Amino acid sequence: MLPIYRLAALAAALLLTGGVDSVFAQQTGGGTDIAPTPPPATMTQAPTTQPPPAASGTTTTPPAANTQQLPEVEVIQQQAKAPPPRKIQQTAKPKKASVAQAPVTPPTAPVEKDFSVAEPTQVKMSPVGGSELPIAKVPGSVGTVSSSDVTRSGAMAVQDVLQSRIPGVIVNDLQGNEFQTNVQFHGFEASPLDGVPQGLAVYENGVRINEAFGDVVNWDFLPSIAISDIAVMSNNPAFGLNALGGSISISMKDGFNFQGVETDIRGGSFGRIQGSVQAGQQVGNYAAYIAVEDIHDGGWRQFSPSDIRRTFADIGFKNHDAELHANFTGADNFVGAVTASPVQLLDESYSAVYTNPQTTQNDMAMGSVNGSVNVTDTLKVSGVGYYRRFNQHHVDANGSEAAPCAGDASVLCFDNLDGTTVQLVDQNGNPVLTPAGGDNYVGEIDRTSQQAESYGASLQGVQKAKIFGHKNQFLLGGSIDHGRVGYQTSAEIGSIGPNFTVTGDGQIVANSDIAPVDITTTNTYYGVFFSDTFDVTDRLSLTAGGRFNYADIRLKDNTGLAPDLNGNNVYQRFNPMAGGTYELLPGLSLYSGYSEANRAPVAAELACADPNNPCLISSFLTSDPPLKQVVSRTAEAGLRGEITSFGDNQKVTWTLGFFHAMNSDDIINVASSIAGRSYFQNAGNTLREGLDASIDYRNDRLYLFANYNFTDARFESTFDVNSPNNPQNPSNGDDFITTVHPGDRMPGIPQHRFKAGFDYWLTHQWKFGGDLTAASDQIFFGDEANLNKPLAGYAVVNLHTSYDVTQNIQLYAIVNNIFDHQYGTYGNYFTLDDATAASLGTIDFTDPRTIVPATPLAAYGGMKVRF
């Protein structure tokens, strides 16, 4: 797939820019002496490293050189019609003297040049465009990320940008790879790993990208340079299933909000080498955009290379009354996901890995069409349709539960969960042989694969006609999402060698509880949603609405050997919402709201929910009883403020909010008493409540931000849970039961998160900045009863700097974890005896804790060239 991407990128770049000659013509203003038309207020022109925007009501004069003016572009969501787009006009070649006379008081921040969209001031009230409301009227917490935030961080993983800018977001690494980490918001997660309960609804350009099989989110598919803006919103059920903790809505760039060509080449620690290109062009009412990223990283841990290849392209049309886009997202990624390692092993070597290979191959292609039409001056109809194909192949090496047979040690037997013992046979009907080294050398390579196809559409209408002379926005829409997944598993017996490496011997187990699984799942999700925002006065706005969700999930066994897997599960629920906002003073407003949301158990959970028949790993399937759906009830209240009156070119914005989310019949993943196996169960009520606080300050030279989140995530019901490897487990029986009580903290959720950062323009060309991310301790997974010492908290500092050599060339450097702090963001427990045996006598494990270590000190340097 990579050659296709590269050819497409080169072809598109030439087409979009009209060839090299036209690029230079645009930069020199060749061909016209007509004065340029000022750009619309909705567009931002600054370089790839944007400075902080000036305060409201102020302007900054850009340098005359290298200026390309664009035609006026209508903002579709506004009611007033703009004049038709005019022909692109280009500046005449400026004189040096005009630059010298620019009213700039040195030293000051440069007016950097980037055609990215401005920081969002409105957010969608549904997944589909056209439903935007000013943030000041949204009755819930809203966090936004702009393309300049993505650029300033230098992060190639969008989840890292969310972590630095959104108060309630933290990133957890369960797989040991920066491209496939978990995003956690207010204690709810959007993860690429099957087995993690998904509590956030994620959309790309209005398309739901929670995958069909497990509702997982593959963040590695999103090209970071192609992101226009992101909105993280809670308290809105219009975003459908999984919006328990909220939604993440990602908008991608197009040729209307990005023009020109930018290339970026970077290299650095652990064999990192990467390149990207983005290009955009508008011609009249038409525009095109393409972005391509190619990243290779050798990995700082053993056996953990990554190859990330992804692209996004958009073709759009826009006039007075309509806007239409066709876009494509594609990815071909290989990730070495080396997961957690025992702490004793990390003490010997911080980069050591416990069992390998552990790899994931992800391939995805998605095409979508979205658009809107202004039917009248007050009525807009919008829609989106898509088709998505996703293939995944996962390899996971483990110690095996198979052991030499009592009567014949040369062959292997397996103890089934029903108490029977069977002699293993392979795919050819032959006995499975014991490795030459004997019992301690028996390993297993577990493989899972899925082939998923999904498609769907959403349609909505937004009416903004006044009611009794008061402003009002009424939204009514519906959606359908259908997915079909073929899912297979297998277990290959192998031998454990040095460095916990398992080598397969070609024998695929054909019988017992680890026999191959082959199923087909289908899911169809229907939704009908509405909301109405009514301005009672100029200062008071009230919002009410809701959504009805209907989920039909079906499983079919393709082998004929596991008929109990066959099933049809239906879940349905109406989720209401209500709230309001009130402007207390100019620049200070109050918001409050209440909403409900639900999550239907996915096929991966429904097929693995019986403690008497647990799955070998979270993604292996067995026949089980159905689970109850999860229902969340959320209440919020807070303040938003903005100050621009205390000085020219200065602006302060801040938020303070409280949230309370109670889940009923929450679903958790529980370890089985059999090593390496787990299952899902409803855990009664769980509570996540706390507060968010954020503030940022910006002037012509300095940008500062800080935010804090407190999340108290606790179980609110009493229930028993298996905890087989917990060192404080009070039970000596086979079930290893511990009892969870109301008030026990939920695993993996830090209570305190603090983030801060700055950018400072030392000179007109030179910028320096940094970021701090800190989190308090968290409970180990497998310690739901809180019997052990938590995983320690951490603080990490990243620095970045850039220098504009010319107006078209920039050099930059990034240093992450500047103090080389060693810490973990995920922890659980493992079986000591099995690990000691797998070490082949080199380590006597006595500490059952295992963590995913964070990346140590890493430095990168690069160059951007833009036209």
Side-chain angles (χ1 to χ4, degrees), residues 669-683:
N669 191 352
V670 179
S672 168
S673 57
I674 298 178
R677 304 193 182 195
S678 63
Y679 60 92
F680 296 92
Q681 73 176 57
N682 290 111

Side-chain angles (χ1 to χ4, degrees), residues 330-620:
D332 177 9
N333 298 340
F334 175 86
V335 174
V338 289
T339 67
S341 292
V343 293
Q344 286 179 263
L345 184 61
L346 295 176
D347 288 341
E348 294 190 2
S349 173
Y350 192 60
S351 64
V353 172
Y354 179 65
T355 72
N356 73 92
Q358 297 183 52
T359 63
T360 300
Q361 175 70 47
N362 284 336
D363 300 291
M364 188 276 295
M366 181 179 76
S368 67
V369 177
N370 58 75
S372 61
V373 177
N374 294 326
V375 180
T376 69
D377 288 342
T378 60
L379 175 62
K380 173 177 288 187
V381 175
S382 306
V384 61
Y386 71 94
Y387 171 82
R388 184 180 182 93
R389 177 187 57 79
F390 166 52
N391 292 331
Q392 182 181 80
H393 300 277
H394 181 69
V395 177
D396 183 18
N398 296 283
S400 179
E401 289 291 302
C405 296
D408 183 357
S410 66
V411 296
L412 294 178
C413 288
F414 192 89
D415 294 330
N416 287 324
L417 292 170
D418 60 7
T420 63
T421 300
V422 297
Q423 180 179 321
L424 297 182
V425 296
D426 64 15
Q427 69 274 28
N428 299 315
N430 299 318
V432 176
L433 303 178
T434 301
D439 190 8
N440 290 345
Y441 289 80
V442 180
E444 186 175 302
I445 299 179
D446 300 313
R447 294 182 174 88
T448 65
S449 63
Q450 59 175 295
Q451 307 81 42
E453 289 184 298
S454 56
Y455 54 86
S458 299
L459 183 67
Q460 72 179 23
V462 177
Q463 175 61 262
K464 293 187 176 182
K466 290 186 177 181
I467 297 179
F468 304 116
H470 295 260
K471 292 181 180 180
N472 187 76
Q473 175 172 301
F474 177 72
L475 161 69
L476 176 65
S479 66
I480 179 173
D481 296 277
H482 178 79
R484 184 181 186 277
V485 182
Y487 191 87
Q488 303 84 32
T489 72
S490 66
E492 178 186 6
I493 296 299
S495 300
I496 299 177
N499 296 320
F500 302 95
T501 300
V502 179
T503 303
D505 59 11
Q507 298 180 97
I508 307 298
V509 176
N511 62 339
S512 78
D513 285 349
I514 57 174
V517 171
D518 185 357
I519 67 167
T520 299
T521 71
T522 60
N523 60 275
T524 306
Y525 301 149
Y526 302 93
V528 179
F529 53 91
F530 73 95
S531 69
D532 188 86
T533 300
F534 179 70
D535 288 357
V536 181
T537 69
D538 291 339
R539 300 167 66 182
L540 174 63
S541 297
L542 299 179
T543 298
R547 176 171 176 134
F548 176 76
N549 291 323
Y550 182 94
D552 184 349
I553 304 168
R554 305 185 181 192
L555 291 80
K556 178 185 176 183
D557 170 48
N558 297 321
T559 66
L561 302 177
D564 289 340
L565 275 176
N566 298 323
N568 183 16
N569 301 274
V570 174
Y571 300 89
Q572 55 187 329
R573 194 176 196 278
F574 174 75
N575 298 309
M577 67 170 292
T581 61
Y582 182 73
E583 185 181 30
L584 299 170
L585 298 168
L588 175 63
S589 60
L590 168 72
Y591 70 86
S592 65
Y594 172 83
S595 69
E596 298 180 6
N598 73 304
R599 177 172 89 82
V602 294
E605 294 170 334
L606 289 168
C608 188
D610 186 351
N612 296 317
N613 198 8
C615 301
L616 179 62
I617 53 178
S618 61
S619 55
F620 266 57

Side-chain angles (χ1 to χ4, degrees), residues 244-402:
L244 302 177
S247 62
I248 301 177
S249 182
I250 303 167
S251 298
M252 309 298 282
K253 293 178 182 176
D254 57 47
F256 295 110
N257 58 37
F258 182 94
Q259 278 107 43
V261 179
E262 179 183 276
T263 62
D264 186 350
I265 300 175
R266 182 186 304 179
S269 299
F270 317 119
R272 169 71 65 89
I273 182 170
Q274 65 186 57
S276 66
V277 60
Q278 59 177 329
Q281 176 84 30
Q282 179 185 357
V283 180
N285 296 103
Y286 298 89
Y289 173 83
I290 189 170
V292 180
E293 291 180 342
D294 189 348
I295 307 168
H296 172 77
D297 192 291
W300 71 272
R301 294 177 70 191
Q302 299 172 354
F303 317 110
S304 61
S306 297
D307 286 292
I308 307 297
R309 297 175 287 266
R310 52 199 183 189
T311 188
F312 174 81
D314 179 274
I315 298 176
F317 167 83
K318 181 188 293 188
N319 65 11
H320 299 153
D321 298 317
E323 182 173 2
L324 179 67
H325 291 268
N327 46 65
F328 171 81
T329 306
D332 177 9
N333 298 340
F334 175 86
V335 174
V338 289
T339 67
S341 292
V343 293
Q344 286 179 263
L345 184 61
L346 295 176
D347 288 341
E348 294 190 2
S349 173
Y350 192 60
S351 64
V353 172
Y354 179 65
T355 72
N356 73 92
Q358 297 183 52
T359 63
T360 300
Q361 175 70 47
N362 284 336
D363 300 291
M364 188 276 295
M366 181 179 76
S368 67
V369 177
N370 58 75
S372 61
V373 177
N374 294 326
V375 180
T376 69
D377 288 342
T378 60
L379 175 62
K380 173 177 288 187
V381 175
S382 306
V384 61
Y386 71 94
Y387 171 82
R388 184 180 182 93
R389 177 187 57 79
F390 166 52
N391 292 331
Q392 182 181 80
H393 300 277
H394 181 69
V395 177
D396 183 18
N398 296 283
S400 179
E401 289 291 302

Side-chain angles (χ1 to χ4, degrees), residues 549-771:
N549 291 323
Y550 182 94
D552 184 349
I553 304 168
R554 305 185 181 192
L555 291 80
K556 178 185 176 183
D557 170 48
N558 297 321
T559 66
L561 302 177
D564 289 340
L565 275 176
N566 298 323
N568 183 16
N569 301 274
V570 174
Y571 300 89
Q572 55 187 329
R573 194 176 196 278
F574 174 75
N575 298 309
M577 67 170 292
T581 61
Y582 182 73
E583 185 181 30
L584 299 170
L585 298 168
L588 175 63
S589 60
L590 168 72
Y591 70 86
S592 65
Y594 172 83
S595 69
E596 298 180 6
N598 73 304
R599 177 172 89 82
V602 294
E605 294 170 334
L606 289 168
C608 188
D610 186 351
N612 296 317
N613 198 8
C615 301
L616 179 62
I617 53 178
S618 61
S619 55
F620 266 57
L621 305 179
T622 55
S623 56
D624 300 295
L627 295 164
K628 299 177 182 179
Q629 67 178 338
V630 185
V631 176
S632 180
R633 296 170 175 85
T634 300
E636 286 191 275
L639 295 166
R640 301 186 183 101
E642 179 178 304
I643 303 174
T644 58
S645 59
F646 60 87
D648 293 337
N649 301 325
Q650 299 184 77
K651 181 177 180 180
V652 174
T653 58
W654 58 272
T655 63
L656 177 65
F658 169 80
F659 62 92
H660 175 98
M662 178 71 77
N663 281 12
S664 59
D665 297 316
D666 211 349
I667 297 175
I668 63 173
N669 191 352
V670 179
S672 168
S673 57
I674 298 178
R677 304 193 182 195
S678 63
Y679 60 92
F680 296 92
Q681 73 176 57
N682 290 111
N685 295 337
T686 61
L687 173 66
R688 298 163 178 85
E689 69 176 356
L691 62 87
D692 295 321
S694 68
I695 186 169
D696 67 65
Y697 166 83
R698 57 191 75 202
N699 63 25
D700 286 343
R701 293 185 60 187
L702 177 64
Y703 170 53
L704 293 169
F705 75 88
N707 60 66
Y708 168 77
N709 165 261
F710 171 73
T711 298
D712 188 15
R714 296 185 179 276
F715 295 104
E716 290 294 311
S717 299
T718 300
F719 62 94
D720 292 333
V721 62
N722 278 345
S723 186
N725 301 315
N726 189 325
Q728 299 297 324
N729 196 314
S731 172
N732 295 319
D734 293 336
D735 292 332
F736 298 93
I737 297 297
T738 59
T739 300
V740 177
H741 300 282
D744 288 337
R745 288 175 57 187
M746 299 182 66
I749 303 176
Q751 287 188 317
H752 304 276
R753 305 168 173 92
F754 177 76
K755 285 145 321 179
F758 76 97
D759 280 333
Y760 183 71
W761 277 259
L762 298 167
T763 69
H764 187 78
Q765 295 85 18
W766 183 16
K767 183 185 74 172
F768 176 76
D771 296 273

